[in-house]
Amino acid sequence: MILVTKTFLPPQEEYNKQIKRAWDNAWLTNRGELTLELEQKLKQHLGISNIIMTNNGTLPIQIALKLLAKGGEVITTPFSYVATSAAIIWENCKPVFVDIDPEHLTIDESKIEDSITSKTTSILATHVFGNPCNVEVIESIAKKHNLSVIYDAAHCFGVNYKDQSIFNYGDVSTCSFHATKIFHTAEGGAMFCNDEKLYHKLFYSHNFGHNGPLKFHGLGINAKISELQSAMGLSIFPYIKTIFSERKKVVDFYNAHLNFSLLSKIKIRENTQWNYSYYPVIFDSQNTLLKVLEALEKEKIIPRRYFYPSLNTIPYVNGGTMPISESISERIVCLPLYVGLNEIDLEKIVTIINKNIC
Ligand SMILES: *Cc1c(COP(=O)(O)O)cnc(C)c1O
């Protein structure tokens, strides 16, 4: 069976070697030496000045919203994973959807200002499939209207925009290190923030609000990563270059062999060093998509309808209509992309797709 992704695993001995350190320390969480070491390594690797690792990629979004959106209206994208909208609602804020740009698939920055009201406090946008939003325009709108900007950068490990990490943009950026993501700790995530005061708040918020063992800075929750998760991250860290180059080979193969006269693909924003995190293709209609999926499934190839459905249509969301996002959601599929996907399988996938779209 070929699935949309396959979790990258290091040789088990290398994981065991890291786990043994936690064992020897008898220290399994609360920012132990493995977590601190992984944070240092990631900072250096990504060229960023700070990081707070967390136990998943959803809580950092919630913490950022708690601190910045404060129960107000949050302008957001309907084309993302459900965690983006759910975090807004979970934090008792109101999602206000703005449709997406049909080429880049990120929030359409030209439509944001029309949706701002006196209750708007934040913009929460997703750099979807690792493709940066139009950060310059979004940030100038935010400045003009005194809004905070949070980026769901769950897909963005290793993405650079204008020669620096995409995590440097926005008041807060968040990432996911879930097992399906490009770099992972089984479950895990991180938040990034370059403002010292806000960083301090994010930091204590992720650890129950503690100010030392006996005092509290403020309200907090438990979003700490464990040493067992960090052990996974440390044992994968040496393979990051391999992961990127192997994924690039798959992407290059699709780029060279799919029939793009009958298919379209995401347009990566200029000045982006992309991370080969997903390979979405957009069909001319949902019918074509269903036909292709059925043909692939017969050969035990299971891509994923990602993202589907458009988040504004989820029952508890009440998000109005978003014609572009709804249309794209119905026609988009992420093709299998992972380390170890070989050319024989790739050829099979490409042949089935090209045959079924004409
Ligand atoms: C994976 C993902 C998340 C959530 O991350 P978890 O680590 O699974 O909590 C949030 N947003 C997007 C866009 C994602 O793809």
Side-chain angles (χ1 to χ4, degrees):
M1 188 132 83
I2 301 172
L3 299 176
V4 63
T5 190
K6 187 172 171 184
T7 295
F8 180 85
L9 288 170
Q12 202 179 344
E13 313 83 76
E14 295 179 26
Y15 180 61
N16 291 345
K17 217 168 83 189
Q18 297 294 343
I19 283 288
K20 185 173 183 305
R21 296 171 62 197
W23 224 269
D24 291 345
N25 293 336
W27 190 280
L28 298 188
T29 185
N30 284 1
R31 302 181 58 73
E33 76 171 49
L34 279 77
T35 297
L36 297 181
E37 182 180 321
L38 182 57
E39 284 186 344
Q40 284 313 315
K41 286 194 150 137
L42 291 179
K43 275 204 274 196
Q44 227 178 15
H45 178 81
L46 299 168
I48 49 172
S49 56
N50 65 56
I51 177 173
I52 303 167
M53 294 201 70
T54 54
N55 53 359
N56 61 47
T58 302
L59 274 166
I61 304 174
Q62 289 181 210
I63 291 171
L65 287 166
K66 177 81 76 193
L67 293 172
L68 297 174
K70 301 179 178 138
E73 291 181 3
V74 177
I75 291 180
T76 192
T77 174
F79 191 70
S80 182
Y81 184 55
V82 67
T84 317
S85 310
I88 295 172
I89 296 169
W90 197 272
E91 290 303 326
N92 289 315
C93 300
K94 182 180 170 207
V96 175
F97 291 97
V98 166
D99 213 346
I100 57 170
D101 161 347
E103 291 187 316
H104 298 98
L105 309 183
T106 47
I107 194 166
D108 185 342
E109 64 280 358
S110 71
K111 294 181 179 155
I112 290 178
E113 276 198 294
D114 287 342
S115 300
I116 295 175
T117 73
S118 60
K119 293 183 189 151
T120 310
T121 49
S122 295
I123 300 169
L124 169 59
T126 301
H127 302 306
V128 67
F129 305 129
N131 194 24
C133 298
N134 190 334
V135 290
E136 286 88 2
V137 172
I138 290 175
E139 280 158 39
S140 76
I141 293 169
K143 211 175 222 166
K144 184 170 152 200
H145 296 273
N146 197 21
L147 308 176
S148 55
V149 179
I150 302 163
Y151 288 115
D152 179 345
H155 299 168
C156 294
F157 185 87
V159 171
N160 280 357
Y161 177 69
K162 296 201 169 159
D163 295 322
Q164 60 171 315
S165 171
I166 192 71
F167 297 143
N168 279 332
Y169 293 85
D171 293 292
V172 179
S173 281
T174 67
C175 192
S176 167
F177 301 139
H178 184 259
T180 56
K181 303 303 206 265
I182 187 160
F183 172 79
H184 77 92
T185 58
E187 290 274 3
M191 41 194 175
F192 307 90
C193 167
N194 286 321
D195 177 85
E196 284 296 320
K197 260 180 137 163
L198 181 56
Y199 175 84
H200 172 66
K201 287 186 184 172
L202 292 165
F203 189 88
Y204 73 67
S205 300
H206 105 295
N207 182 26
F208 298 108
H210 269 293
N211 174 12
L214 303 178
K215 288 195 279 187
F216 295 90
H217 289 293
L219 180 65
I221 196 165
N222 181 3
K224 286 172 283 132
I225 193 167
S226 77
E227 292 286 273
L228 308 183
Q229 292 166 291
S230 294
M232 179 59 78
L234 283 172
S235 57
I236 291 175
F237 186 84
Y239 296 93
I240 290 175
K241 269 209 175 113
T242 315
I243 292 172
F244 275 61
S245 62
E246 289 298 305
R247 296 177 72 101
K248 180 174 186 299
K249 282 187 202 161
V250 176
V251 167
D252 289 344
F253 189 95
Y254 283 136
N255 283 342
H257 296 95
L258 284 168
N259 180 0
F260 292 105
S261 64
L262 297 165
L263 269 181
S264 53
K265 59 178 170 178
I266 190 169
K267 183 174 174 188
I268 301 295
R269 198 170 299 279
E270 266 177 51
N271 301 310
T272 302
Q273 239 179 304
W274 188 53
N275 63 357
Y276 316 102
S277 49
Y278 295 87
Y279 201 94
V281 288
I282 306 164
F283 298 99
D284 63 347
S285 71
Q286 182 160 230
N287 278 345
T288 311
L289 172 146
L290 293 172
K291 188 174 147 206
V292 170
L293 289 190
E294 196 184 317
L296 288 168
E297 203 169 322
K298 274 195 192 130
E299 298 296 318
K300 298 204 158 53
I301 299 162
I302 319 286
R304 174 136 184 233
R305 295 189 66 178
Y306 206 50
F307 296 106
Y308 178 85
S310 187
L311 296 172
N312 56 298
T313 66
I314 289 180
Y316 62 83
V317 167
N318 280 325
T321 51
M322 294 285 131
I324 297 168
S325 175
E326 287 169 40
S327 165
I328 301 261
S329 287
E330 284 172 356
R331 296 182 288 121
I332 196 166
V333 147
C334 284
L335 300 182
L337 169 54
Y338 51 83
V339 178
L341 184 57
N342 63 49
E343 285 214 0
I344 296 167
D345 288 335
L346 282 168
E347 240 158 63
K348 211 154 99 182
I349 296 168
V350 163
T351 307
I352 294 169
I353 295 174
N354 287 343
K355 211 167 81 188
N356 282 280
I357 53 180
C358 43

